């Protein structure tokens, strides 16, 4: 599969209903040869975004001005953080520090919840 420089498919934003249990992995669907994203919460403090990557899809190396937490919901991913590879599987979470280059590659089809947390002290 070709490298993905940007998201190929963005589903409409969806709010998680209050006071109800949901399975986050059911809130975003796989698409052949694509990376699908769906934002489920956004505020000044950060965002929560669901992603579904087809096997072999990737996001090229980039940085973010705030910490990002990858919670793998399904499948397996290889993250490269500051040049070091980190593999994670369903049920595992990885912190990607602010201002450190990172990349994402789907080892298998995988889904994740990406939590971007803004430091109120940072500018």
């Amino acid at each position: 599969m070709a490298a993905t420089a940007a998201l190929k498919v963005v589903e409409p934003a969806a709010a998680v209903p209050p006071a109800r249990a949901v399975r986050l992995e059911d809130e975003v669907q796989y698409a052949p040869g694509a990376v699908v994203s769906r934002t489920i919460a956004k505020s000044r403090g950060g965002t929560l975004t669901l992603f579904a990557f087809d096997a072999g899809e990737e996001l090229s190396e980039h940085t973010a001005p705030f910490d990002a937490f990858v919670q793998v919901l399904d499948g397996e991913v290889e993250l490269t953080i500051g040049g070091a590879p980190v593999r994670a599987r369903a049920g595992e979470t990885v912190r990607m520090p602010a201002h450190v280059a990172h990349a994402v590659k789907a080892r298998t089809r995988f889904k994740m919840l990406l939590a971007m947390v803004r430091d109120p002290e940072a500018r």
Side-chain angles (χ1 to χ4, degrees):
M1 305 261 164
T4 304
L7 302 179
K8 291 185 176 182
V9 179
V10 179
E11 292 183 348
V16 172
R20 187 174 139 221
V22 296
R23 295 184 55 83
L24 291 176
E25 59 267 29
D26 295 340
E27 298 296 314
V28 64
Q29 303 306 313
Y30 291 112
V35 177
V36 179
S37 74
R38 173 175 263 178
T39 299
I40 59 172
K42 186 173 184 177
S43 73
R44 285 185 286 177
T47 60
L48 295 175
T49 306
L50 295 168
F51 287 86
F53 284 67
D54 198 9
E57 292 298 314
E58 56 189 15
L59 295 179
S60 59
E61 187 175 76
H62 59 284
T63 61
F66 32 83
D67 284 351
F69 294 82
V70 171
Q71 180 179 353
V72 181
L73 304 171
D74 183 40
E76 183 180 348
V77 62
E78 181 171 310
L79 304 165
T80 303
I81 304 169
V86 178
R87 283 203 180 186
R89 294 174 181 81
E92 298 178 324
T93 301
V94 178
R95 177 177 163 251
M96 298 186 296
H99 308 291
V100 175
H102 56 272
V104 179
K105 180 167 183 158
R107 304 303 295 171
T108 65
R109 289 189 332 161
F110 95 100
K111 293 181 181 182
M112 72 175 176
L113 172 64
L114 180 67
M116 306 275 255
V117 181
R118 299 178 196 273
D119 180 350
E121 303 297 317
R123 295 196 180 256

